[in-house]
Amino acid sequence: MKYLFILGRNIELSKAEVFSYFEKLGNRILKYELEKNGLFLDLENPIKENEIDFLGGVISIGKVIASGTEEELLKNIDKEELYFGTENKLNYTIWNFSKSLEVIRDYLKERFKKEKLKATLKHLTREIKLQEGKRANVPSSKLINEEYFIFGNKELYFGKIFQTCNYEIIEERDMNKPVRRASLAISPRLAKIMINLSKVKEDEILLDPFCGIGTILSEALLQKIKVMGIDKDEKAIIGARQNLEWSKFDKKDYQLINSNSTKTQIDYVYAIATEPDLGEILKKIPTKNKAKETLQKFEDLIVNVLNNFREKISGRVVFTSPNIRIGKKRIHPEIEKILKKTDYKLIYELPEFRENQIVGRMIYVLER
Ligand SMILES: C[S@@+](CC[C@H](N)C(=O)[O-])C[C@H]1O[C@@H](n2cnc3c(N)ncnc32)[C@H](O)[C@@H]1O
């Protein structure tokens, strides 16, 4: 089952998310190739029609419909139907992750002419800046009926996009919830990524020991994962409760505790996904000493919390940490020290920040 996953702006983070997600589902990745933000996957089993709703870092998913060398590919595409619409007017686009774009562009033009379709090729004109500094193009127009793609160089893969992330629905849900704390909250997109990195499955329990108003909890509940949220701020817990009630989640699927996570006693949970306090919100670049002080506080807090819960968690621990700009460099916690003091192993260390952001994030995924 061959697919193309078009990843969002943080390629390494999104790739780690997709890999963790299919690992948890037990859908083996038989082969993969990454070209810019295009991730080709050969999966053991087919994916669900709405798989994209479960992934935070994926823009679109396409299905491969023909493959082979240039010559074989064109012969194979000829056997496939490409347009299922009823009108004879069609706007289409081609996502390109290959040196053979021109071949496919010429083929489609001829093919649609033969089929007497008034087909117009629309270019991917909207540019997004990737985490690594490179750029990628995405469609800017909604008036596109079909999105095709070409991937690979020796072995080529051609296919059609069949799932696209609906950002509007996600944003609307986030903006309409009764309690919002814009400066402290994590985005639903990042919450989903972290949940997938934790590999927690349906019906297992995920703990967020710094739950705030419950963004990670909500995203997990939407995926039928049970949750436990802890926050030392009573107002945050009241806000989280209001938000979860507003979403009409079943009350037996969540537990909210107003307490200090360095001391709270809990029953067994499967994994942790959380964003602890990242320190003060800074408008100016801090001095190196000030930044180091923030990181030290962070390290002490996370070590205490992980050691408090260590006997109650068998799965992964996923947490964000401050990634602070000082001059042209960025500094983040010394993960080796945290690992040594908690006896965890590092699985991923993934930066997530915008160019001008003073306090960005470093995302850590740990396992015993
Ligand atoms: C960055 S916010 C989390 C935001 C959350 N992800 C959201 O979407 O609302 C960190 C939260 O950790 C809480 N907190 C800080 N230290 C804590 C501790 N020792 N135990 C429990 N909660 C703590 C704060 O009250 C704050 O609400």
Side-chain angles (χ1 to χ4, degrees):
M1 297 290 152
K2 299 184 175 71
Y3 298 97
L4 178 73
F5 285 70
I6 299 176
L7 308 178
R9 52 169 288 284
N10 191 336
I11 296 175
E12 282 309 311
L13 179 64
S14 304
K15 182 178 152 211
E17 181 199 20
V18 171
F19 275 59
S20 297
Y21 180 73
F22 287 114
E23 265 168 47
K24 109 171 162 181
L25 293 184
N27 192 350
R28 270 200 315 141
I29 297 175
L30 306 174
K31 188 181 163 198
Y32 80 89
E33 255 179 80
L34 181 71
E35 177 66 39
K36 268 171 98 180
N37 64 328
L39 176 65
F40 164 82
L41 288 187
D42 188 359
L43 289 165
E44 197 170 40
N45 299 309
I47 67 168
K48 293 193 289 278
E49 277 304 312
N50 62 342
E51 204 81 88
I52 198 152
D53 297 343
F54 295 83
L55 292 159
V58 177
I59 300 176
S60 293
I61 307 177
K63 215 183 257 179
V64 172
I65 53 183
S67 60
T69 58
E70 255 176 37
E71 206 179 313
E72 288 163 356
L73 182 82
L74 297 185
K75 265 195 212 146
N76 289 335
I77 303 177
D78 246 353
K79 296 180 210 151
E80 303 291 335
E81 212 166 318
L82 296 184
Y83 175 58
F84 293 89
T86 46
E87 286 182 40
N88 87 331
K89 208 171 152 229
L90 151 77
N91 289 332
Y92 68 101
T93 193
I94 310 169
W95 291 85
N96 178 36
F97 304 96
S98 161
K99 292 195 184 95
S100 301
L101 172 66
E102 257 174 60
V103 178
I104 208 73
R105 202 163 50 195
D106 296 347
Y107 169 85
L108 289 180
K109 204 169 155 194
E110 279 306 307
R111 164 97 184 241
F112 291 138
K113 207 160 125 191
K114 251 199 260 163
E115 292 181 359
K116 301 209 168 28
L117 285 167
K118 264 194 214 156
T120 313
L121 173 64
K122 296 275 179 191
H123 295 285
L124 300 168
T125 47
R126 197 163 70 81
E127 210 173 53
I128 55 167
K129 202 164 178 193
L130 304 175
Q131 172 88 49
E132 292 82 356
K134 290 185 203 148
R135 286 162 198 275
N137 288 335
V138 297
S140 56
S141 162
K142 288 197 174 148
L143 304 168
I144 290 175
N145 314 87
E146 296 288 359
E147 295 177 38
Y148 302 102
F149 66 82
I150 177 80
F151 184 95
N153 288 313
K154 272 196 196 124
E155 174 84 353
L156 294 164
Y157 301 102
F158 171 82
K160 238 167 89 153
I161 301 297
F162 75 122
Q163 297 187 26
T164 295
C165 175
N166 194 334
Y167 289 106
E168 279 157 28
I169 291 187
I170 300 171
E171 250 175 49
E172 201 181 287
R173 196 174 62 223
D174 194 41
M175 297 303 281
N176 290 343
K177 62 187 181 196
V179 186
R180 300 191 71 241
R181 291 196 314 186
S183 61
L184 283 178
I186 193 167
S187 71
R189 179 190 76 87
L190 187 55
K192 253 191 237 186
I193 292 177
M194 291 175 64
I195 292 163
N196 286 326
L197 287 170
S198 84
K199 299 211 282 185
V200 62
K201 295 196 197 85
E202 233 178 89
D203 288 329
E204 286 175 339
I205 305 173
L206 178 74
L207 167 66
D208 181 349
F210 300 93
C211 73
I213 54 158
T215 314
I216 296 177
L217 307 179
S218 292
E219 290 303 318
L221 284 161
L222 283 170
Q223 296 195 27
K224 301 199 167 53
I225 294 160
K226 298 197 164 94
V227 296
M228 182 189 290
I230 307 175
D231 202 295
K232 68 175 184 183
D233 175 3
E234 192 187 0
K235 265 205 200 137
I237 288 292
I238 293 172
R241 193 174 304 285
Q242 274 178 283
N243 283 340
L244 300 189
E245 280 174 5
W246 175 77
S247 292
K248 300 197 168 53
F249 294 122
D250 194 331
K251 287 194 175 129
K252 68 177 177 3
D253 292 340
Y254 61 86
Q255 192 184 348
L256 295 169
I257 308 169
N258 175 211
S259 173
N260 185 333
S261 284
T262 59
K263 300 192 186 106
T264 319
Q265 296 299 304
I266 59 163
D267 287 336
Y268 172 81
V269 296
Y270 179 72
I272 288 186
T274 194
E275 168 141 289
D277 277 322
L278 301 184
E280 283 170 55
I281 297 162
L282 300 172
K283 293 212 170 74
K284 276 202 309 211
I285 295 181
T287 61
K288 195 170 175 183
N289 281 346
K290 174 89 186 142
K292 283 198 159 166
E293 207 180 285
T294 305
L295 294 180
Q296 188 58 55
K297 265 198 204 154
F298 181 90
E299 283 169 23
D300 294 344
L301 178 63
I302 199 79
V303 165
N304 283 335
V305 171
L306 294 190
N307 283 335
N308 180 36
F309 295 129
R310 61 174 295 119
E311 299 309 325
K312 300 297 166 87
I313 289 155
S314 57
R316 284 183 170 178
V317 170
V318 182
F319 63 90
T320 61
S321 78
N323 189 358
I324 310 172
R325 204 167 118 202
I326 48 165
K328 283 197 174 128
K329 264 182 33 197
R330 283 185 176 271
I331 57 170
H332 47 80
E334 287 182 48
I335 191 64
E336 289 304 328
K337 270 203 314 209
I338 298 176
L339 297 177
K340 216 166 160 191
K341 289 182 184 164
T342 56
D343 203 17
Y344 270 97
K345 283 194 314 253
L346 180 68
I347 305 296
Y348 291 112
E349 180 180 48
L350 300 153
E352 159 74 7
F353 58 85
R354 310 261 164 179
E355 204 173 8
N356 297 321
Q357 207 173 15
I358 298 174
V359 184
R361 294 176 169 101
M362 188 62 100
I363 298 166
Y364 292 106
V365 181
L366 314 185
E367 223 169 56
R368 289 289 275 286

